[in-house]
Amino acid sequence: MAVNYSELKAGGFMRQKQKNCFSMRLATTGGQVSAKELAAIMEVANTYGHGYIHLTSRQGIEIPFIQLKDIEAVKETLAKGGARNGVCGPRVRTITACQGNETCPNGCIATQPIAKELAERYFGKELPHKFKFGVTGCQNNCLKAEENDLGIKGGIQVTWKEEDCISCGVCVKACRKGAITLEDGKITVDYEKCNNCGRCFFACPTSAYAGEQGYMLSFGGLFGNTITKGEPMVPFIKDHDTLLRVCDACINWFKDNAKPSERFYFTIQRVGKDSLKKALKEAYNG
C-alpha cells in the first residue's frame, strides 16, 4: 500500500533523511505544555524514538526517529496524555506567545488567552501557504512579533493626570523614548513619541497615568530566505472584538489573493498594500 507522505506531513510527520523515519511535530499553543502531556511525550520519545526531543524556534516540540509502522501507536499514546500531533504544510501554524501579564511585570496584555483563542479559531486552517501568528506582551518584544505573518504586541495608551501627579520624576526615568520631561516641577508628555510601552503607567507611585490596554499589530513579517519586518497597517486596537475582526480580515485576504505556495509578504507585494489596508480598515471600523 502506497504511503501518502503529503497526508502525513499535514499531520505533523516530517520525513527524515533516514528511510521510513519521521520527526513528529506536536501541537502546542503559546509555549505551554502540561505535565501530563510531557509524561506522554517522554513515553513516546523513549518507546518509539531515540529518547530525546527537539525544541523548535517557534515553541514547538518534535520527536525524531518515529518509525512509519509506529505512527498510529504514537498517536494513541499521546492522546492518553492529552497531547496530539501538530501540522505542517500550507496551514496556520503553531500560535506562539510569551507569558504575558499573568506572570511578567512588564506585560501589558494577557497573551495566553489570546493565543489559545487564535489557535481554536485558526490553527491548522488550510491556506495557500503557511501562516504564522506571534503574540508578545509588551515592547520588550520577547516573541519578536514583527517576524510573523501577523504579529500582535500588547501596549497601554496612557493619559497623564495632572491632579494626581507629585512631580517625582519616576516616570521620566522609566520612559525609554524620551516622551516625558520634567521642567519647573511640571510633567510634559509628548504623545507622538510614546510607543505605548506602559512603563510610566506601571512605575508611577500615585497612579497619575490612566491606561487603556490594547494591541499593536504588524503584517507581513518573514524570516527565511527573504527577511523582512512586519509593518503596522491599522491603529492601536482597544478591544477584543476588533482584534478578531482584523485577524479574520487578514486571513481571508490572504486566502482570496495569494497564489499557491506564496507567502503572505509576497502576496502583499504582488497585490499591493493598499488592497490589504482597505480590508483591514473595514474590519477595524466594524
Side-chain angles (χ1 to χ4, degrees):
M1 184 177 179
V3 178
N4 189 333
Y5 289 106
S6 295
E7 183 176 321
L8 286 171
K9 184 177 181 180
F13 291 89
M14 300 170 289
R15 292 176 71 178
Q16 294 182 196
K17 58 191 295 185
Q18 294 83 2
K19 186 176 181 180
N20 290 330
C21 283
F22 296 81
S23 187
M24 182 197 63
R25 182 170 294 168
L26 295 165
T28 60
T29 300
Q32 290 195 351
V33 183
S34 71
K36 183 178 180 181
E37 289 170 328
L38 285 174
I41 293 166
M42 181 180 70
E43 181 179 349
V44 168
N46 284 329
T47 305
Y48 302 104
H50 280 190
Y52 73 93
I53 64 168
H54 171 70
L55 299 177
T56 75
S57 61
R58 286 188 56 80
Q59 301 182 329
I61 296 175
E62 293 174 1
I63 307 177
F65 292 100
I66 300 299
Q67 296 286 324
L68 178 62
K69 64 181 178 62
D70 294 327
I71 285 179
E72 291 306 315
V74 164
K75 289 181 180 179
E76 291 176 7
T77 303
L78 288 173
K80 291 176 183 177
R84 59 192 174 94
N85 50 301
V87 301
C88 297
R91 295 162 187 87
V92 175
R93 299 295 186 84
T94 295
I95 314 296
T96 61
C98 70
Q99 294 198 65
N101 65 7
E102 194 170 90
T103 60
C104 178
N106 298 310
C108 296
I109 59 170
T111 57
Q112 290 297 320
I114 295 170
K116 290 174 183 176
E117 186 166 16
L118 293 176
E120 291 171 0
R121 200 175 185 93
Y122 305 117
F123 179 68
K125 182 179 178 64
E126 302 279 339
L127 291 171
H129 207 336
K130 59 186 173 184
F131 194 96
K132 299 176 181 179
F133 285 89
V135 187
T136 198
C138 69
Q139 285 288 3
N140 286 342
N141 207 8
C142 296
L143 252 292
K144 301 175 179 63
E146 289 84 1
E147 289 186 0
N148 293 269
D149 296 287
L150 200 169
I152 300 172
K153 185 184 297 181
I156 296 179
Q157 277 196 340
V158 298
T159 303
W160 177 62
K161 301 182 294 179
E162 184 174 4
E163 65 275 15
D164 294 325
C165 183
I166 58 173
S167 301
C168 64
V170 170
C171 59
V172 178
K173 295 178 181 178
C175 180
R176 293 178 175 176
K177 302 301 289 185
I180 306 174
T181 55
L182 175 61
E183 294 182 9
D184 298 325
K186 184 176 181 179
I187 289 291
T188 301
V189 181
D190 185 344
Y191 291 102
E192 292 297 318
K193 290 183 179 179
C194 179
N195 69 346
N196 307 121
C197 71
R199 290 176 65 84
C200 58
F201 174 80
F202 293 128
C204 181
T206 62
S207 300
Y209 287 89
E212 189 168 11
Q213 294 177 326
Y215 317 97
M216 297 170 283
L217 273 56
S218 57
F219 302 86
L222 183 63
F223 272 63
N225 292 309
T226 299
I227 297 177
T228 184
K229 182 180 176 183
E231 297 182 27
M233 294 189 185
V234 294
F236 189 88
I237 294 176
K238 298 181 180 180
D239 66 281
H240 172 267
D241 289 346
T242 300
L243 173 66
L244 292 183
R245 287 200 309 270
V246 171
C247 290
D248 283 346
C250 179
I251 288 285
N252 291 335
W253 185 91
F254 180 49
K255 184 177 182 180
D256 293 342
N257 288 279
K259 296 178 179 179
S261 300
E262 181 178 65
R263 287 297 298 271
F264 184 44
Y265 167 77
F266 293 112
T267 306
I268 295 172
Q269 299 307 304
R270 179 176 55 80
V271 178
K273 293 180 184 178
D274 289 344
S275 174
L276 175 58
K277 286 181 178 179
K278 180 181 178 181
L280 298 176
K281 183 179 179 181
E282 290 175 355
Y284 182 90
N285 292 329

